[in-house]
Amino acid sequence: MFAKVRFSITAGLYTDFLNYIIEENYQLFDIKSTQFGFEAVCYAENYRKIASAAGRFQCKIRIIGKKGIYFRLRKFRNRKGLLAGALIFMLLTYIFSNIIWDIRINAADSTMEAEIAALLYRQNISPGSFYSAEKLQQAREDILLSGTDISYISLNFYKGILDCEAYPKNRKADYISDLTDQDIYSSMTGIITDLRVYSGYSQVELGQSVSQGDLLVSHITSDIFENTYTSRTRAYIEALCDKKYSVYIPFRKYTQVLTGRSDKTVYIEFAGNSFCVDKADIAQWPSSVDKTRIDYFTFMGFHLPLTVREINHYQLTDILIENDTLTARSIAGLQLQHLIENDDLLKEEINRSYDFIIDDEGLQLNCIVTGHYRIA
């Protein structure tokens, strides 16, 4: 373990020199007599003192051999690259053990997995970022409070891998999903044609006319003895109503459309730093719409602690759309049809009537639909 030096002493008063070494308490090992002196082994730390004293006894001292870890490593002292490489290797080992190499997400479906990956990226958690227990805890809380369908999520980091387990919320059954603690009011004016109060206290009757804002079902009531009772409210109420839909179509309108040209910018992100590896040339474009995609870097099946952020740019151009009266009315009619068909409150249509107003700027088409609407 300790470094030792084998040396030889020749000529001079070597016997007196040997006695001097022993008197100075320098430890010698494997002492051998030679024709003109002796050989011995000493600790390397004592050799300099022994060699400096040899001249006092007119002795010649010469190193025969060296052994020990110190001498094995000493030959590498001028090879600074090797030493630096070893230090860098130890440093990288420490750093990479605290870097997220890969994120494995296990969720109900691919849509939820992509949603979780996006939420983690917004919290600066992606391959190549440094591990932080506080950051993971904050990300978990933010995901649960983000209003998504995730009811539980766990984030566990081990040996460079971040395992994410997520479970969706249990949906309430339809018959209890719309239970409320509030009173139910009418959203439209009409005549009640279907009245089903599942919970609460009805304030109206079938065939009764109601106006927008009238109380339909109350969550509180009292008896003749002035005892108060409360209940949660749930009801399905339809009424025969008239509802107006309107669409305005200008005769002249500037709008932006895609030209079909596209380009992309690619960034590699590591340890909080972003490096651009491919820059899009869109300086001459009038305008564009961008779409960002985040991906985890994989090379020949190996996951590396890098995140790839790809921004796709799609060129837009301004065009002028001019419509005459007939074209504007046709477009307005098509848009009104979509509005009516997508109205979830309309349960059955009975009749509809149209009227339109034309000015210098455009055409407004109105449609009044008579039908059965859900008003609660």
Side-chain angles (χ1 to χ4, degrees):
M1 178 179 178
F2 298 98
K4 296 179 180 180
V5 175
R6 171 171 285 279
F7 63 92
S8 66
I9 298 294
T10 57
L13 304 174
Y14 61 85
T15 304
D16 294 337
F17 184 43
L18 177 60
N19 293 331
Y20 166 79
I21 295 174
I22 296 174
E23 290 174 357
E24 293 295 324
N25 294 320
Y26 296 137
Q27 294 188 35
L28 297 181
F29 309 92
D30 193 19
I31 303 174
K32 296 180 180 179
S33 177
T34 62
Q35 183 177 1
F36 301 105
F38 66 90
E39 293 181 2
V41 177
C42 70
Y43 288 121
E45 60 185 8
N46 296 329
Y47 176 77
R48 285 183 177 274
K49 298 176 182 179
I50 293 173
S52 64
R56 293 165 53 186
F57 297 90
Q58 291 83 44
C59 296
K60 294 182 180 179
I61 187 169
R62 184 170 61 89
I63 296 177
I64 299 176
K66 303 174 183 178
K67 63 179 180 178
I69 297 177
Y70 171 78
F71 293 112
R72 291 179 181 273
L73 297 179
R74 188 179 180 185
K75 60 183 178 180
F76 298 110
R77 66 180 180 178
N78 292 327
R79 301 178 66 177
K80 298 180 181 179
L82 183 62
L83 179 61
L87 294 176
I88 292 174
F89 174 78
M90 291 186 290
L91 179 62
L92 291 179
T93 301
Y94 170 77
I95 292 176
F96 285 156
S97 64
N98 290 277
I99 284 182
I100 298 175
W101 283 72
D102 189 21
I103 298 179
R104 298 174 181 174
I105 302 175
N106 184 17
D109 50 47
S110 58
T111 302
M112 182 175 288
E113 290 178 2
E115 187 176 15
I116 293 173
L119 291 171
L120 290 176
Y121 181 79
R122 295 189 194 120
Q123 300 292 331
N124 297 320
I125 299 176
S126 59
S129 61
F130 285 99
Y131 162 74
S132 170
E134 294 79 8
K135 186 189 293 185
L136 290 185
Q137 180 62 27
Q138 185 62 46
R140 180 179 179 276
E141 295 176 0
D142 291 344
I143 290 174
L144 293 177
L145 296 175
S146 62
T148 60
D149 290 335
I150 302 171
S151 64
Y152 174 80
I153 185 170
S154 64
L155 299 172
N156 299 310
F157 179 78
Y158 181 68
K159 290 186 177 181
I161 305 297
L162 179 61
D163 282 317
C164 175
E165 293 280 345
Y167 300 93
K169 294 179 180 178
N170 292 324
R171 293 292 185 181
K172 291 183 178 180
D174 291 340
Y175 69 93
I176 62 173
S177 61
D178 54 356
L179 272 173
T180 178
D181 295 321
Q182 306 296 323
D183 294 334
I184 299 177
Y185 296 92
S186 175
S187 60
M188 299 176 65
T189 298
I191 301 173
I192 297 176
T193 57
D194 191 352
L195 177 62
R196 286 174 275 175
V197 179
Y198 302 106
S199 181
Y201 307 99
S202 176
Q203 305 297 308
V204 294
E205 298 178 353
L206 193 64
Q208 180 178 332
S209 297
V210 294
S211 299
Q212 184 177 1
D214 285 352
L215 178 62
L216 302 178
V217 180
S218 175
H219 77 288
I220 187 171
T221 189
S222 59
D223 58 18
I224 59 174
F225 303 105
E226 297 185 353
N227 296 317
T228 301
Y229 304 94
T230 60
S231 171
R232 302 188 73 184
T233 57
R234 175 175 175 261
Y236 181 88
I237 304 175
E238 284 186 11
L240 182 63
C241 307
D242 291 334
K243 186 173 182 179
K244 182 179 180 180
Y245 302 85
S246 297
V247 171
Y248 184 80
I249 304 297
F251 293 138
R252 292 170 55 88
K253 180 177 70 172
Y254 285 94
T255 188
Q256 291 185 324
V257 296
L258 294 171
T259 64
R261 293 185 59 190
S262 64
D263 204 345
K264 66 180 179 180
T265 302
V266 180
Y267 293 93
I268 297 293
E269 298 183 351
F270 173 76
N273 299 308
S274 184
F275 307 93
C276 181
V277 297
D278 188 8
K279 181 69 174 178
D281 184 14
I282 59 174
Q284 304 301 321
W285 290 9
S287 59
S288 64
V289 60
D290 300 336
K291 183 178 181 181
T292 302
R293 185 173 69 91
I294 304 298
D295 197 7
Y296 302 155
F297 189 84
T298 302
F299 179 72
M300 298 181 65
F302 293 95
H303 291 277
L304 299 180
L306 302 171
T307 299
V308 180
R309 179 162 57 96
E310 184 178 289
I311 305 176
N312 292 285
H313 310 276
Y314 302 95
Q315 188 184 51
L316 295 173
T317 185
D318 294 326
I319 63 171
L320 174 62
I321 298 178
E322 296 184 304
N323 299 313
D324 56 22
T325 302
L326 291 177
T327 304
R329 183 169 180 177
S330 176
I331 295 173
L334 184 60
Q335 292 187 8
L336 276 178
Q337 182 63 28
H338 289 316
L339 285 177
I340 296 171
E341 290 178 351
N342 293 324
D343 190 349
D344 295 333
L345 298 179
L346 178 59
K347 301 304 177 181
E348 181 184 356
E349 181 181 345
I350 297 176
N351 185 39
R352 69 171 66 177
S353 60
Y354 293 92
D355 67 84
F356 60 90
I357 302 173
I358 300 177
D359 56 25
D360 294 337
E361 301 296 329
L363 177 145
Q364 178 175 317
L365 183 61
N366 303 314
C367 179
I368 298 178
V369 175
T370 302
H372 295 278
Y373 287 86
R374 183 173 180 176
I375 64 172

